[in-house]
Amino acid sequence: MKDILTLGIETSCDETSASIVKNGREVLSNVINTQIKIHEQFGGVVPEIASRNHIQVISKVVKEAIIKANITTIDDIDIIACTYGPGLVGALLVGVSYAKALSYAIRKPLIATNHIHGHIAANYISHTNLEPPFICLVISGGHTHLVYIKNYSEFKVLGKTRDDAVGEAFDKVARVIGLGYPGGPKVDKLAKEGKPNIELPKIHIENLDFSFSGIKTAVINLHHKTPNINKADLCNSFEKTITEVLIDHTIRAAKELKVNKIALAGGVSANTYIRNEFLKLQDMGYKIYYPEPILCTDNAAMIASAGYYSYMSGNTSDLNLNAVPNLNI
Ligand code: KG4
Ligand code: ZN
């Protein structure tokens, strides 16, 4: 069969990214232009500033992805996959508009791609043998979903957060205790110097949904009420409590569905403590997968991979495509 080269374009939040992926699994280039430094001073992503920066760099980022992939001409690209949701509407529109214009200009199919499907597909790149069915725990700044991937195009949400996303809780805790933005990697680092000696509340939910606002508020209150609290211990205890809930629900889902392959995805799956705790499940017979760190946070290679599988299932979009900020899985 002829190789298929996908150009992926991602602009849903604060990363402008373009990537060329061969046959959904082999990354030829993955250029990521992050705006973290720009938003850092505001303590979080400012949507208008994100959109403007996407516009300023998108052409340069796509060109760089094409050059780095070592392909001879833009016509070598077979399909164009772009994130159309979920995300910030203004930011999404930049990538969607660019992809539509390029698709029209070079007459190649446009594939509207779901950002969450992208996070899940990052695992196909890092584990070239991974095939559905499996369970994926998608944990990022905006999402906390436990998903059953029945095949490359059928997804079933088993549980999701009722309030904060896990990454949101990490970022909020980090901000309050003075670690700065984005908080996840900073909590990850400081937690390594601490001990899990602080009791934090865990909300028990009968079904597979999650809730993280209680633990987030407890950490914030403890920090305010206990002036000399050890921040490393607080971060360590926070990670431990969150991970116990994530593992408990994932195992319950795996048992219910009789699935032994478990994947992690999304920015928070870069967390060292969470990865190590999930790896321990291998002793119980589970196979654990997670993407390499650069593919955990937002990038266009994962969008190219998800777009490729969507195209193989028969999906294409036309030039009426619009951004869908609240798109579901
Ligand atoms: O997937 P992502 O780049 O964007 C969304 O789709 O939301 O995830 C970003 C989130 C942020 O909340 C960030 O703090 C978190 O992922 N994150 C981490 C780590 N690296 C990134 N959280 C915990 N530990 C990390 N090492
Ligand atoms: Zn994301």
Side-chain angles (χ1 to χ4, degrees):
M1 212 171 78
K2 183 192 166 302
D3 287 336
I4 293 188
L5 292 188
T6 307
L7 166 66
I9 295 177
E10 157 64 36
T11 64
S12 69
C13 190
D14 59 345
E15 264 88 31
T16 317
S17 180
S19 163
I20 310 266
V21 173
K22 188 165 144 186
N23 300 330
R25 299 261 182 175
E26 190 188 329
V27 178
L28 305 187
S29 66
N30 188 21
V31 178
I32 304 167
N33 184 292
T34 179
Q35 304 175 9
I36 283 181
K37 281 269 164 286
I38 297 166
H39 298 284
E40 211 168 28
Q41 55 193 305
F42 304 106
V45 178
V46 183
E48 288 79 5
I49 296 179
S51 314
R52 194 188 316 145
N53 277 281
H54 285 308
I55 294 173
Q56 282 168 352
V57 302
I58 189 149
S59 296
K60 187 177 81 128
V61 168
V62 172
K63 267 186 208 148
E64 204 178 319
I66 290 167
I67 292 167
K68 286 206 168 130
N70 246 335
I71 55 178
T72 33
T73 98
I74 198 160
D75 289 317
D76 289 347
I77 292 166
D78 297 292
I79 56 176
I80 301 165
C82 71
T83 306
Y84 76 113
L88 303 169
V89 67
L92 288 164
L93 274 171
V94 177
V96 168
S97 311
Y98 191 95
K100 287 202 305 196
L102 187 62
S103 156
Y104 181 72
I106 66 171
R107 301 190 192 289
K108 296 293 164 93
L110 175 68
I111 323 295
T113 306
N114 184 311
H115 183 79
I116 314 282
H117 293 185
H119 274 302
I120 296 168
N123 280 289
Y124 296 138
I125 299 172
S126 294
H127 307 279
T128 43
N129 297 324
L130 174 65
E131 283 185 22
F134 60 93
I135 282 174
C136 187
L137 178 67
V138 187
I139 39 179
S140 73
H143 320 280
T144 306
H145 284 94
L146 194 52
V147 188
Y148 176 53
I149 291 89
K150 194 169 171 213
N151 56 48
Y152 286 106
S153 59
E154 274 184 85
F155 304 81
K156 183 171 181 231
V157 177
L158 306 169
K160 58 180 188 304
T161 183
R162 293 184 177 176
D163 38 59
D164 292 355
V166 185
E168 216 176 327
F170 268 91
D171 292 341
K172 204 69 77 53
V173 163
R175 184 171 352 158
V176 171
I177 68 173
L179 301 182
Y181 169 86
K186 292 179 173 144
V187 171
D188 189 347
K189 197 162 164 230
L190 187 59
K192 288 183 182 139
E193 295 164 24
K195 291 189 195 70
N197 53 10
I198 300 169
E199 186 85 23
L200 293 168
K202 249 191 275 177
I203 292 200
H204 182 74
I205 296 181
E206 283 308 319
N207 65 17
L208 294 171
D209 281 347
F210 300 97
S211 167
F212 295 109
S213 71
I215 175 178
K216 175 195 73 184
T217 310
V219 171
I220 293 171
N221 287 343
L222 263 172
H223 175 256
H224 288 320
K225 286 186 195 142
T226 330
N228 293 323
I229 198 156
N230 183 312
K231 289 183 186 176
D233 289 349
L234 198 56
C235 288
N236 190 303
S237 308
F238 170 74
E239 280 188 350
K240 179 172 178 279
T241 312
I242 285 215
T243 308
E244 279 169 8
V245 177
L246 294 175
I247 289 187
D248 178 63
H249 287 213
T250 308
I251 295 286
R252 266 161 55 195
K255 284 186 177 153
E256 269 172 36
L257 288 155
K258 299 190 172 42
V259 172
N260 81 332
K261 287 191 265 185
I262 295 171
L264 301 177
V268 184
S269 69
N271 184 275
T272 2
Y273 182 82
I274 296 178
R275 285 173 176 242
N276 287 337
E277 289 304 302
F278 270 87
L279 275 183
K280 290 181 188 163
L281 300 179
Q282 292 184 145
D283 297 341
M284 292 164 67
Y286 291 105
K287 287 190 179 150
I288 305 298
Y289 304 85
Y290 44 72
E292 54 206 276
I294 193 70
L295 296 176
C296 287
T297 43
D298 291 348
N299 68 89
M302 69 183 199
I303 300 303
S305 175
Y308 166 84
Y309 285 108
S310 175
Y311 176 70
M312 295 310 261
S313 315
N315 296 321
T316 51
S317 297
D318 61 25
L319 297 179
N320 292 315
L321 177 66
N322 204 348
V324 184
N326 300 320
L327 184 67
N328 286 322
I329 291 188

